[in-house]
C-alpha cells in the first residue's frame, strides 16, 4: 500500500489507555467490551505487518512450536477510549483469536489512518514489545494515540483505520471510532503513535 507522508505538528503527550475493542462488518463478530466499536473489512496490503481472518490452521508447526497468529484468524475491532482531560485521543484495538488454535503474536501492528489528505502511518511508541500466546477465543490489545484538534480549524478529516497484524501482509480496514479530525500545522513527522501488542498503558 502506497503511503503518502503527511506533515502534522507532533503532540507527544502520553495518554492513559484502558484497552478493549470490538470488530464487526464483513470480517468477524468480535467481543464487545468497549464503547463505540468500529466495523472492519479485510484487504490485502497495509503498512506494517498484516490484519483479518483467513483459515483455522493447526495448533503448532512441525517443530512443535505455536504458529504465528494469521490475519484471517483474528477478529479485529477498535473503540474510542479517550479519557476526558487528556491531551491526546486514544483508540483501543482488540485482536481476538478465532482461529480454533493457539497462536503466537508479538511486536507492533502496522497502523495507517485514512485521511482527507491521504494515508498517514502511525509511529511505534518507545514501549517494549513482549511475546504473547493467544489461546483460541482469547484477546489481546494495543493502543493508538493521536493529537486532539483543538486549533479551532477544520483540520484533516480521518476516514478510516487500517490495521496489519505483526508479521502479516494482509490488512483489515475499520471505521475510525475516535475524533473526526487531526490538527494541521507546519510540523514534520507523524503525530500518531501505536503501542505494542499487549500494551495497556500509555501509548507514548
Amino acid at each position: 500500500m502506497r503511503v503518502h507522508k503527511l506533515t502534522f505538528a507532533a503532540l507527544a503527550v502520553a495518554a492513559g489507555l484502558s484497552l478493549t475493542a470490538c470488530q464487526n462488518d464483513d470480517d468477524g463478530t468480535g467481543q464487545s467490551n468497549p464503547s463505540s466499536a468500529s466495523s472492519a473489512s479485510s484487504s490485502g496490503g497495509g503498512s506494517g505487518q498484516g490484519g483479518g481472518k483467513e483459515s483455522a490452521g493447526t495448533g503448532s508447526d512441525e517443530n512443535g512450536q505455536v504458529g504465528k497468529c494469521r490475519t484471517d484468524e483474528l477478529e479485529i475491532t477498535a473503540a474510542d477510549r479517550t479519557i476526558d482531560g487528556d491531551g491526546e485521543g486514544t483508540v483501543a484495538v482488540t485482536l481476538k483469536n478465532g482461529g480454533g488454535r493457539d497462536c503466537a503474536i508479538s511486536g507492533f501492528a502496522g497502523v495507517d489512518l485514512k485521511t482527507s489528505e491521504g494515508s498517514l502511518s502511525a509511529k511505534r511508541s518507545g514501549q517494549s514489545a513482549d511475546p504473547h500466546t493467544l489461546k483460541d477465543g482469547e484477546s489481546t490489545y494495543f493502543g493508538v494515540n493521536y493529537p486532539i484538534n483543538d486549533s479551532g480549524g477544520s483540520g484533516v478529516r480521518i476516514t478510516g483505520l487500517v490495521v496489519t497484524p505483526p508479521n502479516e501482509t494482509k490488512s483489515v480496514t475499520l471505521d475510525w471510532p475516535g475524533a473526526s479530525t487531526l490538527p494541521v500545522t507546519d510540523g514534520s513527522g507523524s503525530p500518531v503513535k501505536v503501542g505494542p501488542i499487549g500494551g495497556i498503558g500509555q501509548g507514548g
Side-chain angles (χ1 to χ4, degrees):
M1 163 180 207
R2 197 172 181 84
V3 176
H4 303 288
K5 300 296 181 185
L6 299 182
T7 56
F8 299 100
L11 185 64
V13 180
L17 178 60
S18 172
L19 291 179
T20 46
C22 225
Q23 166 173 321
N24 31 43
D25 203 87
D26 38 85
D27 205 35
T29 54
Q31 114 188 7
S32 57
N33 291 351
S35 58
S36 306
S38 72
S39 57
S41 62
S42 293
S43 64
S47 82
Q49 270 91 308
K53 193 164 190 176
E54 223 167 75
S55 64
T58 59
S60 56
D61 62 22
E62 61 273 11
N63 297 320
Q65 297 181 343
V66 175
K68 72 176 181 178
C69 297
R70 306 301 302 233
T71 295
D72 287 345
E73 296 174 325
L74 297 170
E75 298 169 10
I76 303 175
T77 58
D80 184 9
R81 303 301 291 174
T82 301
I83 298 173
D84 289 343
D86 280 352
E88 283 188 326
T90 300
V91 165
V93 178
T94 297
L95 302 93
K96 182 178 181 180
N97 181 7
R101 66 176 181 108
D102 295 354
C103 65
I105 190 167
S106 64
F108 290 81
V111 170
D112 295 309
L113 298 189
K114 291 183 174 182
T115 79
S116 56
E117 301 294 328
S119 184
L120 172 66
S121 294
K123 291 183 177 179
R124 294 179 178 184
S125 74
Q127 295 172 283
S128 61
D130 298 323
H132 298 275
T133 297
L134 277 185
K135 293 186 180 299
D136 184 37
E138 287 186 343
S139 298
T140 190
Y141 315 88
F142 68 86
V144 179
N145 296 94
Y146 62 95
I148 299 295
N149 181 18
D150 55 6
S151 64
S154 59
V156 173
R157 186 167 54 91
I158 306 173
T159 60
L161 170 65
V162 181
V163 176
T164 312
N167 304 308
E168 283 290 275
T169 58
K170 188 174 183 180
S171 302
V172 168
T173 300
L174 308 170
D175 292 334
W176 173 249
S180 59
T181 62
L182 292 171
V184 182
T185 71
D186 292 332
S188 62
S190 172
V192 182
K193 292 184 180 180
V194 56
I197 296 293
I200 52 175
Q202 295 174 321

